[in-house]
Amino acid sequence: MIITRTPFRVSFVGGGSDIEDFYKHSLGAVLSSTINKYMYIYTHNFFDEDKIRIKYSKTETVTNVNDINHPIVREVLKKFKIKGALEISSNADVPSNTGLGSSSSFTVGLLHNIYIKFGKYPTKEQLASEACDIEINKLKEPIGKQDQYAASFGGLNIFKFDSSGNVKVEPLHLTKETYNTLQNNLLMFYTGLQRKTSTILSEQKRNMRFKNKFESLKKMVELVWELRDALYERDFHKFGKILHKNWLLKKQLSSNVSNSGIEQFYSKALKNGALGGKLLGAGSGGFLLFYCDERNQNKLRKAMSPLRELRFNLDNEGSKVLYIGDEYY
């Protein structure tokens, strides 16, 4: 058996600038961090040499890779020319379609796992770029590149996307005190709503032809550098306010980013101690993230009832191998 663990991420500012429709015209940038919530991928040799079994929310058993319904699994196994004798299963710490980049964590984790099966140890860049190729080029998903790079590299980073599609990773090197303050003052609440990212991102991609939408996203990219400087200067009040600015701009990108229920909770959070926040992912559901000083957090938690809080810490490791069984030696 081989087990890989790949983190989910929270994106603070700049989300949406990682799609080609934007960065081919203007530099894209996202500031994000992975968290200690993970996608686990398990593989082991299947008894039947002619069959492949995949267990996720469904169970599939096939004799031909092309018959696999799960699109990511199908493309990854085609890439490695796997014919059979393999069982794959997955578990995640949080539901899919909730804005934490779970699909890309799955892709990165599965690639990592299968590489290990063949005795190969890919670089973080290799995992990220190949996950992008599968999701964006082969499966034609209307998504960007930030999630794949976050899942592979792990940690608190700025990802920059140039017009040629190259991605540059700039880690943020914070003092332990600054890092702990940031970590301790971030709170996340589950709205209970799951949504298909593709619908929202497809509209956002179409909207890039409109100057006002494009300019809003450019302003979100500018906030990346402001947020970085706020962290280096330990100006956490500014950090929270920048999150709020980013959220106001993000809502201008698509009509489906927010809704009345989300707006009510967000407004209530600002009145009860949160300095700023955002809905994670493309929008319309998933998790609300807030920056709130520790002295106000109990007040905020009470105001967010009945939403469920997801307690988390920041992650620094990226995708990693947890276990390799004897059968693969």
Side-chain angles (χ1 to χ4, degrees):
M1 176 178 283
I2 296 172
I3 305 172
T4 51
R5 187 189 77 181
T6 306
F8 296 146
R9 64 94 189 100
V10 293
S11 176
F12 296 116
V13 291
S17 69
D18 58 327
I19 60 174
E20 185 179 9
D21 299 74
F22 179 83
Y23 65 66
K24 69 181 178 182
H25 302 292
S26 182
L27 178 69
V30 174
L31 197 161
S32 70
S33 177
T34 45
I35 62 175
N36 66 338
K37 303 300 175 186
Y38 305 100
M39 175 68 70
Y40 298 88
I41 305 291
Y42 311 79
T43 63
H44 69 86
N45 292 335
F46 194 43
F47 179 78
D48 193 328
E49 294 183 357
D50 297 323
K51 293 182 179 180
I52 299 168
R53 177 166 291 170
I54 309 106
K55 297 177 179 178
Y56 49 109
S57 58
K58 303 176 182 178
T59 297
E60 299 186 53
T61 304
V62 301
T63 55
N64 189 315
V65 170
N66 292 316
D67 293 332
I68 296 173
N69 290 323
H70 195 298
I72 294 172
V73 175
R74 183 179 64 246
E75 293 304 320
V76 170
L77 297 194
K78 284 170 63 177
K79 172 183 174 63
F80 288 93
K81 297 179 171 60
I82 290 175
K83 304 294 185 182
L86 181 66
E87 183 166 356
I88 302 169
S89 59
S90 62
N91 291 99
D93 288 331
V94 295
S96 60
N97 298 318
T98 53
L100 300 182
S102 59
S103 292
S104 295
S105 294
F106 183 96
T107 309
V108 169
L110 182 58
L111 281 168
H112 200 172
N113 196 300
I114 302 299
Y115 265 116
I116 298 301
K117 171 181 168 61
F118 285 98
K120 298 180 179 180
Y121 293 83
T123 65
K124 294 178 181 296
E125 169 64 34
Q126 184 179 358
L127 284 176
S129 62
E130 291 183 5
C132 288
D133 181 59
I134 287 171
E135 293 190 88
I136 299 170
N137 298 328
K138 289 186 169 58
L139 296 178
K140 306 299 181 184
E141 292 289 344
I143 61 174
K145 295 184 173 183
Q146 66 154 316
D147 292 353
Q148 301 87 346
Y149 275 82
S152 182
F153 280 82
L156 180 64
N157 302 290
I158 292 174
F159 299 106
K160 292 185 276 189
F161 313 94
D162 67 25
S163 59
S164 64
N166 293 325
V167 182
K168 183 176 181 181
V169 184
E170 179 185 312
L172 270 64
H173 301 290
L174 305 181
T175 65
K176 185 176 181 180
E177 183 182 6
T178 301
Y179 188 85
N180 288 339
T181 299
L182 173 63
Q183 181 170 257
N184 294 338
N185 290 349
L186 293 172
L187 284 78
M188 197 188 306
F189 300 91
Y190 183 42
T191 64
L193 302 172
Q194 294 174 261
R195 78 288 178 273
K196 289 296 291 182
T197 300
S198 57
T199 302
I200 303 166
L201 290 180
S202 293
E203 181 188 350
Q204 185 176 314
K205 284 167 66 72
R206 293 192 300 270
N207 286 345
M208 285 302 98
R209 67 182 185 270
F210 300 116
K211 184 177 180 180
N212 62 327
K213 307 291 187 183
F214 193 87
E215 290 301 317
S216 292
L217 195 46
K218 284 182 70 173
K219 291 176 182 178
M220 290 170 65
V221 171
E222 293 171 4
L223 293 179
V224 169
W225 322 120
E226 293 185 31
L227 198 70
R228 176 197 61 186
D229 293 345
L231 286 172
Y232 284 143
E233 296 164 5
R234 289 185 51 78
D235 190 342
F236 293 106
H237 185 272
K238 185 177 180 181
F239 180 96
K241 294 301 181 183
I242 292 172
L243 282 185
H244 179 63
K245 287 181 183 179
N246 183 84
W247 172 239
L248 296 179
L249 289 167
K250 180 176 179 175
K251 289 191 292 181
Q252 298 176 17
L253 302 181
S254 167
S255 62
N256 293 317
V257 168
S258 189
N259 57 50
S260 60
I262 290 168
E263 289 299 307
Q264 287 176 8
F265 278 112
Y266 188 88
S267 177
K268 188 183 293 186
L270 294 186
K271 294 174 182 177
N272 287 274
L275 293 177
K278 59 172 293 190
L279 191 68
L280 294 170
S284 288
F287 288 91
L288 281 162
L289 177 76
F290 297 106
Y291 183 88
C292 182
D293 292 331
E294 285 189 274
R295 65 179 181 272
N296 294 321
Q297 288 179 8
N298 287 336
K299 183 180 178 183
L300 176 60
R301 289 187 174 105
K302 185 176 180 180
M304 287 297 98
S305 178
L307 300 188
R308 174 183 172 183
E309 181 181 1
L310 179 69
R311 305 265 183 153
F312 69 97
N313 289 321
L314 303 182
D315 164 275
N316 282 311
E317 293 188 308
S319 187
K320 66 180 295 185
V321 179
L322 294 184
Y323 177 79
I324 304 176
D326 292 340
E327 64 188 288
Y328 289 102
Y329 286 102

